[in-house]
Amino acid sequence: MASDPNLGFLTKRDTEVKLPRPTRVKNKTPATIQITAEQILREARERQEPEIRPPKQKITDVHELADYRLRKRKEFEDLIRRARWNTGAWVKYAAWEESQGDFARARSVWERVLEVDYRNPTLWLKYAELEMRHRFVNHARNVWDRAVALLPRVDQLWYKYIHMEEMLGDVAGARQIFERWMDWHPDTQGWLSYIKFELRYNEVDRARAIYERFVADHPRPSSFIKYAKFEAKRGEISRARAIYERAVDLLSDDEEAEQLFVAFAEFEEWCKETERARCIYRFSLDHVPKGRAEELYRKYVAFEKQYGDRKGIEDAIVSKRRFQYEEEVRKNPLNYDCWFDYIRLEESVGNKDMVREVYERAIANVPPAEEKRYWQRYIYLWINYALYEELDAQDMDRTREVYRECLKLIPHKKFSFAKIWLMAAQFEIRQMNLKGARKILGNAIGMAPKDKIFKKYIEIELQLGNITRCRTLYQKYLEWAPANCYAWCKYAELERSLSETERARSLFELAIAQPALDMPELLWKAYIDFEISEGEYERTRQLYERLLDRTKHLKVWISYAKFEASAGGDDEETDDEVLEKNDINNEERQRKRIERSRGVFERAFDYFRTSAPELKEERAMLLEDWLNTESSFGSLGDVSLVQKKLPRKVKKRRPISSEDGTPAGFEEYIDYIFADEVAMAPNLKIMEAAYKWKRQKLGADDD
């Protein structure tokens, strides 16, 4: 084949990569004996060939030793020349020279590697250990001096250097090294090591002086606590107390102040100074933030349980609960239930300043959204605050100010709370400030009118006997809510109580003339009862007729018929004593009542039979009331007149459908068949006979 010019003298066939042909698996069924991974690894290890090791070389004379050393050094030099930054190779080279006893060459290797990487503390440690191992003390000191000078922040170098001097018995030299180290201001452990070193040789005054330098270099609660414990351990109680007091003066606002106060209180408790310890606990609880005082509260409660009386224990428990509430309100300031519990706790303690402080902090957490559902719980904080100031604190000026600020805060254009307005007004009434109460209620009606406010304001003025103000308020009430039947009825009731019959009637007329009413049945009933109570039966009949022009509800018909059954006739205004003497007139009067009542029932029955034939259940209920009314008339009533009109109840079935329109089965219902319907539909007799035959057949099958 011709060669490709792009491939030189090679052909494409020569440059093709030939992959092995995949082996076809003829039998893919699983083997009877499965091989585990453990078995495969074990077989691989068994079949592994033994490692080929070079033969051991025996050196017999000096020349062979020299050749061996030359060859080995050449290997090491080649290795470090190729990989200069490989400190492991350098360390191996130096260790080999050490094993050959050539310490000068070993030092030379260590010096060369330190030129490569002098920041590696491990190299310095190994170099110094070489000198120490072979008791080259001055060489080791030289290495340590250079190491700590170049790497003064590596504590391990200082520790090793000091340990070597101490092992050699050179205490002064070790102290000098410690002083050099302290000039670099090490961490806490370095200072404590220096102190332990001095204490090992009973140099207490030196240790005390070092502690003074230590707390000056590390002014932390833990440092002062260690210093005070050092003095207390040696019986220096006054010195230890002075150290704690100095620490409290310096670090009372530190983040770790809780640890300091606990240690100070435990020290006083150890000295049997329980009153001092109690004062320390109380001082610390007032100064340490609540979020960092958990351990402090726990210790204080345990202390009071051990040494305190009942009052002290209660105070400790209150302090602990106060801390818990502080934690909860810090996590969620809008958790008003937690604020209520916190306030209840402070009220049980009885400290007015603390109670007011918690109330002020609670009401400062205004709900973020101007929606009433977010404010319904929050507003009770203001209510409880006002009640506390009035009832417990007896501070009326602050109570008035609380109500005033609360009413300013509520967004009355979006929603309001009638309870706040009414409570503020009632407070002013209790303070004999009627003018202030009227001003508050007037502002409420102007800014956020509500049913409760109108009702309470009218009730107050009515109790005071200001009828003119009551009428004005009712007018404002009806202007704001003309569809409120309750307001119309109460206004008319007021006028009637004042014997202003015409004014009351006019109000009822205005009310029923309104285009929309929330409870018209209540209003019509009140108007009808009013006319009945006034003895105006003819006006009452006219009202019923006007009501029937608007609605033909079953209850209206029944009420109208019962009214006629109990009301007087045309001679209703005649003298009752004369009528009682004349039995004939009484019977005639009763007959007229029955006729009027029966006439209303017949009109209602005709209406349901002709105009609303689908309302069979209402027609049946009407006949039941008619029958009861006829029965109540006694011998003058005609029960048979109604009985022949009573329907017959028939149980029927009708199909029902599900939401998607598919048939879902059948349901049973009660249907009413009236006598006039049977007369109009002769086929019903055939159906009745069929039903009778079917019932007989079912009874025979059951037998």
Side-chain angles (χ1 to χ4, degrees):
M1 296 177 62
S3 62
D4 191 343
N6 295 327
L7 301 175
F9 296 99
L10 299 176
T11 62
K12 290 185 178 181
R13 186 171 184 179
D14 296 333
T15 58
E16 285 180 355
V17 178
K18 296 182 180 180
L19 299 175
R21 178 182 295 177
T23 305
R24 292 183 61 187
V25 180
K26 296 182 179 180
N27 187 5
K28 295 183 179 181
T29 57
T32 54
I33 300 175
Q34 297 293 319
I35 301 175
T36 62
E38 182 182 358
Q39 184 177 355
I40 294 173
L41 293 174
R42 188 171 59 252
E43 290 179 358
R45 186 174 182 82
E46 291 174 356
R47 295 178 184 179
Q48 189 175 5
E49 295 181 358
E51 184 180 358
I52 299 175
R53 297 181 179 179
K56 290 184 179 181
Q57 183 180 4
K58 293 183 180 180
I59 299 174
T60 57
D61 57 2
V62 179
H63 299 288
E64 288 183 0
L65 178 61
D67 291 339
Y68 165 72
R69 288 177 175 174
L70 180 63
R71 185 172 65 253
K72 199 71 175 175
R73 287 192 181 106
K74 184 177 183 304
E75 291 176 0
F76 277 117
E77 291 292 340
D78 292 341
L79 179 61
I80 61 178
R81 188 167 53 251
R82 288 195 303 268
R84 181 178 176 79
W85 298 101
N86 186 1
T87 56
W90 288 99
V91 172
K92 289 180 180 179
Y93 189 7
W96 181 81
E97 292 290 359
E98 181 186 0
S99 66
Q100 298 300 315
D102 196 343
F103 299 109
R105 286 183 178 275
R107 289 191 189 97
S108 175
V109 174
W110 281 116
E111 294 294 338
R112 289 166 63 192
V113 71
L114 288 174
E115 290 179 0
V116 175
D117 186 11
Y118 73 92
R119 291 188 179 88
N120 191 346
T122 306
L123 298 178
W124 290 103
L125 291 171
K126 290 182 179 297
Y127 187 10
E129 286 173 358
L130 162 69
E131 302 291 0
M132 292 166 61
R133 207 165 32 242
H134 299 284
R135 300 182 180 277
F136 299 123
V137 177
N138 290 328
H139 282 282
R141 283 175 177 154
N142 179 269
V143 173
W144 288 124
D145 282 333
R146 291 162 58 199
V148 297
L150 292 172
L151 303 174
R153 296 299 179 187
V154 181
D155 295 343
Q156 191 176 10
L157 298 176
W158 293 102
Y159 284 128
K160 290 284 187 179
Y161 191 7
I162 294 166
H163 178 67
M164 183 191 78
E165 294 293 349
E166 196 171 359
M167 293 297 292
L168 293 172
D170 189 0
V171 178
R175 185 178 291 116
Q176 192 175 16
I177 296 168
F178 264 121
E179 288 295 333
R180 289 174 58 192
W181 187 14
M182 295 305 111
D183 291 339
W184 288 98
H185 303 285
D187 59 1
T188 303
Q189 195 58 41
W191 287 97
L192 296 178
S193 299
Y194 192 8
I195 293 167
K196 290 178 181 178
F197 166 78
E198 296 292 356
L199 292 177
R200 279 198 295 272
Y201 299 101
N202 295 323
E203 297 288 345
V204 179
D205 294 334
R206 287 181 178 273
R208 186 176 289 117
I210 296 168
Y211 260 121
E212 289 291 341
R213 294 164 59 191
F214 170 48
V215 296
D217 192 32
H218 295 278
R220 290 197 293 266
S222 57
S223 305
F224 281 96
I225 291 170
K226 288 182 174 63
Y227 188 11
K229 287 183 177 180
F230 161 76
E231 296 291 358
K233 187 176 180 181
R234 278 153 184 79
E236 299 289 343
I237 304 301
S238 58
R239 286 178 179 270
R241 184 175 289 120
I243 292 167
Y244 275 122
E245 291 173 354
R246 182 164 48 138
V248 169
D249 292 337
L250 292 174
L251 305 172
S252 59
D253 297 331
D254 193 85
E255 292 184 357
E256 299 177 359
E258 178 192 8
Q259 183 181 358
L260 175 64
F261 285 116
V262 169
F264 193 6
E266 289 179 345
F267 165 75
E268 295 293 353
E269 186 180 349
W270 176 71
C271 296
K272 309 299 182 183
E273 295 286 349
T274 55
E275 285 302 321
R276 282 178 175 269
R278 184 176 288 108
C279 292
I280 292 168
Y281 275 123
R282 291 178 179 175
F283 176 81
S284 61
L285 291 175
D286 293 336
H287 288 77
V288 176
K290 302 298 186 295
R292 300 199 299 263
E294 183 177 0
E295 181 68 14
L296 192 60
Y297 278 108
R298 191 178 64 81
K299 292 284 186 180
Y300 180 39
V301 172
F303 170 80
E304 288 293 347
K305 287 181 179 179
Q306 186 174 359
Y307 299 103
D309 53 3
R310 179 176 179 180
K311 186 176 183 302
I313 295 172
E314 290 178 354
D315 291 341
I317 293 173
V318 166
S319 300
K320 185 175 181 181
R321 289 178 60 193
R322 186 182 290 123
F323 164 73
Q324 294 173 351
Y325 288 134
E326 286 288 346
E327 281 293 306
E328 292 182 9
V329 298
R330 183 180 61 82
K331 293 177 183 176
N332 184 10
L334 298 178
N335 186 0
Y336 300 121
D337 291 331
C338 185
W339 282 112
F340 283 122
D341 295 337
Y342 194 3
I343 291 166
R344 199 175 298 115
L345 171 67
E346 294 295 348
E347 287 180 351
S348 65
V349 174
N351 190 341
K352 293 182 180 180
D353 294 333
M354 286 294 296
V355 174
R356 284 170 177 160
E357 180 188 352
V358 177
Y359 266 122
E360 292 293 337
R361 290 171 56 198
I363 61 179
N365 298 295
V366 183
E370 291 185 351
E371 295 183 21
K372 191 168 184 177
R373 58 193 178 98
Y374 296 118
W375 287 64
Q376 285 175 341
R377 193 66 176 154
Y378 167 74
I379 207 67
Y380 276 94
L381 289 172
W382 287 93
I383 293 174
N384 291 358
Y385 191 10
L387 292 176
Y388 171 77
E389 292 291 352
E390 181 183 0
L391 301 177
D392 295 344
Q394 301 290 328
D395 192 340
M396 304 308 162
D397 293 333
R398 290 183 67 91
T399 306
R400 188 175 289 108
E401 186 65 24
V402 170
Y403 280 123
R404 187 181 298 116
E405 292 299 323
C406 180
L407 291 173
K408 285 182 182 178
L409 183 65
I410 298 172
H412 298 290
K413 292 184 178 180
K414 295 187 177 180
F415 59 86
S416 185
F417 293 93
K419 191 177 187 67
I420 292 292
W421 291 104
L422 295 177
M423 289 186 69
Q426 289 168 347
F427 165 74
E428 296 295 347
I429 292 173
R430 287 193 293 272
Q431 303 305 313
M432 303 300 176
N433 185 9
L434 186 58
K435 183 178 179 181
R438 283 174 175 160
K439 183 178 180 181
I440 291 172
L441 292 173
N443 290 336
I445 291 173
M447 297 173 64
K450 286 181 173 290
D451 287 334
K452 288 183 179 179
I453 297 174
F454 277 110
K455 291 175 184 178
K456 195 65 180 178
Y457 196 2
I458 292 169
E459 180 184 347
I460 292 171
E461 294 295 350
L462 192 59
Q463 289 175 352
L464 296 173
N466 294 324
I467 304 302
T468 306
R469 286 183 178 272
C470 291
R471 285 174 175 160
T472 305
L473 289 173
Y474 270 121
Q475 290 173 9
K476 295 289 185 182
Y477 192 2
L478 293 173
E479 287 175 4
W480 173 68
N484 193 332
C485 294
Y486 175 84
W488 287 105
C489 294
K490 285 294 181 181
Y491 193 6
E493 184 180 341
L494 171 66
E495 295 294 350
R496 184 191 170 196
S497 65
L498 299 172
S499 300
E500 294 286 350
T501 307
E502 291 302 324
R503 290 177 68 95
R505 187 175 288 116
S506 300
L507 286 172
F508 276 122
E509 289 293 335
L510 283 173
I512 62 177
Q514 296 298 318
L517 294 170
D518 55 357
M519 296 177 66
E521 65 277 5
L522 177 67
L523 181 63
W524 280 94
K525 184 179 184 304
Y527 193 4
I528 290 170
D529 292 343
F530 165 73
E531 295 293 358
I532 293 173
S533 63
E534 292 295 326
E536 297 289 344
Y537 297 111
E538 193 59 37
R539 286 180 178 273
T540 307
R541 291 189 185 95
Q542 293 175 5
L543 280 177
Y544 270 117
E545 293 295 337
R546 290 165 64 185
L547 181 57
L548 286 173
D549 291 339
R550 297 194 178 193
T551 177
K552 296 291 194 300
H553 197 274
L554 174 64
K555 290 184 179 180
V556 178
W557 288 109
I558 294 174
S559 177
Y560 190 8
K562 289 184 177 180
F563 160 72
E564 292 293 359
S566 60
D570 293 336
D571 53 354
E572 202 60 45
E573 296 179 357
T574 58
D575 192 359
D576 290 340
E577 294 180 358
V578 177
L579 292 176
E580 288 176 359
K581 294 178 181 178
N582 195 340
D583 294 337
I584 299 174
N585 291 338
N586 287 335
E587 185 177 352
E588 185 65 25
R589 180 183 176 190
Q590 185 68 15
R591 288 182 184 278
K592 287 182 179 180
R593 291 177 180 174
I594 295 171
E595 289 175 1
R596 285 197 178 94
S597 177
R598 191 176 292 152
V600 174
F601 276 120
E602 288 177 351
R603 285 173 58 194
F605 183 75
D606 290 340
Y607 165 75
F608 284 113
R609 182 169 56 86
T610 58
S611 301
E614 69 279 0
L615 302 177
K616 293 185 177 182
E617 189 173 357
E618 284 77 358
R619 202 187 331 172
M621 292 171 64
L622 176 69
L623 290 175
E624 289 180 5
D625 276 290
W626 190 359
L627 182 62
N628 294 333
T629 305
E630 291 288 348
S631 301
S632 65
F633 290 150
S635 60
L636 297 179
D638 189 0
V639 179
S640 61
L641 181 64
V642 185
Q643 286 179 342
K644 63 183 180 181
K645 295 182 179 182
L646 290 174
R648 181 166 52 84
K649 293 183 181 180
V650 179
K651 187 182 291 186
K652 293 184 179 180
R653 297 174 66 197
R654 57 189 172 194
I656 57 175
S657 302
S658 59
E659 294 180 356
D660 55 356
T662 57
F666 293 86
E667 66 173 356
E668 292 185 349
Y669 69 100
I670 301 298
D671 194 11
Y672 297 92
I673 299 177
F674 294 88
D676 53 353
E677 293 179 354
V678 175
M680 293 175 63
N683 291 334
L684 288 177
K685 293 184 178 180
I686 301 174
M687 293 296 296
E688 184 179 357
Y691 280 126
K692 185 176 180 181
W693 172 79
K694 187 173 183 180
R695 284 197 297 270
Q696 292 176 354
K697 185 177 180 181
L698 290 174
D701 292 341
D702 292 340
D703 294 340

